[in-house]
Amino acid sequence: MTFFLVFLLIGALLLLVIGINIIQQHKDRIARERRKELSLQRTILEETESILSNLAMLPCSNQIILVLYRRMNDALIAAVAVASDMQKREYERRQFDLVTQIDNLSKNAEVAPPLDDFHLPDNDRQVLLLVQSLKKLKAILRAENNKGKVDPNVFSQEEKRIDNLQLRINVDSMLSRARSAIGIKQYGSAKQMITKALTTLNTLKGQSPNDPFISNKAEEAKMLLHEAMDAQKQNSPMPAPKKKSDDDLDILFQQKKKW
């Protein structure tokens, strides 16, 4: 009887240990999932904030800013659901402030700034940041549209604006690099970049024949190409003069006439 009780007690202890272990593993799994989800939402917030800071250099509309704000709001709501109590209060505060910004921006029917006001930064690092930001912004816009969170008309307009900005940066960057190449007498590289810019502009002219940017930049590229070709001619080495035949030697060794 005693042996049976001891065996039963050991079995109960084993079951208790196994049960505690299962519960602990379940808690650990939930904690890992919460940390993973929180890390994901933090990444979304940081990425979106980074894009917003770089968009200050671009003529962006309120609509695309609202898309980014709402994306951040969704991330904050998800973060509140999985954050600890201390973190939760901070995310709730940020979300409250963001909702106020969304409401204020939604009421502001400001016309989108014209793209013609955009000028390429002189700093290469800033140009690279703009290119990266526009690429990420386009991916975000499409992802939010696929979730049904963007009005179709807004999506169409904003995607077109992003494409146009990418074009302007690309063309301006190529022409800027071509000018630099001319300055250091790398005329082959300059002509290659100008020709590439002209090809891009000619292709897009068929899609938007009335876009003044395209016609203006095409004219600028043609003038720059002439400049590169003229500079190349002026700086090309003079051809070596052909050696004159030695008349005296020709006379000496020519076939003598018989009289």
Side-chain angles (χ1 to χ4, degrees):
M1 186 68 180
T2 303
F3 177 78
F4 176 75
L5 290 173
V6 171
F7 182 78
L8 186 63
L9 182 61
I10 292 173
L13 288 172
L14 284 174
L15 288 174
L16 181 61
V17 169
I18 292 172
I20 292 173
N21 189 41
I22 291 173
I23 293 171
Q24 187 60 44
Q25 287 180 352
H26 179 67
K27 288 181 178 180
D28 291 343
R29 182 175 60 81
I30 292 176
R32 285 196 303 270
E33 289 176 354
R34 283 177 174 270
R35 288 194 297 269
K36 184 178 179 180
E37 179 65 19
L38 186 59
S39 176
L40 173 62
Q41 302 309 323
R42 281 177 176 171
T43 300
I44 291 173
L45 289 168
E46 290 170 2
E47 179 189 50
T48 311
E49 287 173 341
S50 175
I51 292 172
L52 281 167
S53 65
N54 292 328
L55 291 187
M57 295 182 285
L58 294 169
C60 293
S61 70
N62 285 351
Q63 295 298 332
I64 195 66
I65 302 298
L66 280 170
V67 170
L68 296 175
Y69 278 179
R70 286 167 180 154
R71 182 177 191 246
M72 290 179 64
N73 187 52
D74 291 342
L76 286 168
I77 291 172
V80 167
V82 296
S84 63
D85 291 339
M86 186 177 296
Q87 292 173 319
K88 186 177 295 186
R89 286 193 294 271
E90 173 62 18
Y91 287 129
E92 286 174 340
R93 183 192 63 78
R94 290 180 62 185
Q95 201 243 337
F96 177 80
D97 293 340
L98 190 59
V99 168
T100 304
Q101 289 180 288
I102 291 172
D103 289 341
N104 292 335
L105 199 60
S106 299
K107 296 173 184 176
N108 187 356
E110 184 179 297
V111 178
L115 296 179
D116 292 335
D117 292 345
F118 171 71
H119 298 287
L120 190 71
D122 295 329
N123 189 301
D124 290 340
R125 184 175 179 276
Q126 287 183 326
V127 174
L128 179 60
L129 284 174
L130 289 182
V131 171
Q132 293 173 341
S133 296
L134 284 172
K135 185 177 180 180
K136 291 177 181 177
L137 181 61
K138 190 172 183 178
I140 289 172
L141 180 63
R142 287 182 173 178
E144 295 300 298
N145 180 65
N146 291 336
K147 295 175 185 176
K149 296 184 177 182
V150 182
D151 182 90
N153 292 329
V154 171
F155 171 74
S156 177
Q157 292 170 6
E158 294 305 322
E159 187 177 48
K160 187 176 181 180
R161 282 180 67 87
I162 293 172
D163 289 340
N164 207 321
L165 280 168
Q166 287 177 320
L167 160 68
R168 289 165 185 261
I169 291 174
N170 190 27
V171 171
D172 275 338
S173 182
M174 284 190 287
L175 294 181
S176 177
R177 292 200 304 270
R179 288 191 192 91
S180 299
I182 292 173
I184 57 176
K185 299 181 180 181
Q186 292 183 352
Y187 304 114
S189 297
K191 289 191 291 184
Q192 184 179 6
M193 283 182 279
I194 296 168
T195 302
K196 187 177 179 181
L198 279 169
T199 301
T200 303
L201 288 167
N202 287 334
T203 301
L204 291 164
K205 191 174 182 180
Q207 302 173 6
S208 305
N210 298 322
D211 191 336
F213 171 81
I214 296 174
S215 55
N216 292 339
K217 286 299 174 181
E219 188 64 28
E220 181 182 338
K222 290 174 185 176
M223 292 175 63
L224 196 59
L225 183 59
H226 287 307
E227 180 184 336
M229 294 172 69
D230 290 343
Q232 187 176 28
K233 288 178 182 177
Q234 293 175 7
N235 289 277
S236 296
M238 296 295 291
K242 294 182 180 179
K243 292 182 179 180
K244 296 182 178 180
S245 59
D246 194 329
D247 295 338
D248 293 337
L249 289 175
D250 288 344
I251 294 172
L252 180 63
F253 289 102
Q254 71 180 359
Q255 186 176 2
K256 294 181 179 180
K257 297 181 180 178
K258 292 183 180 180
W259 300 93

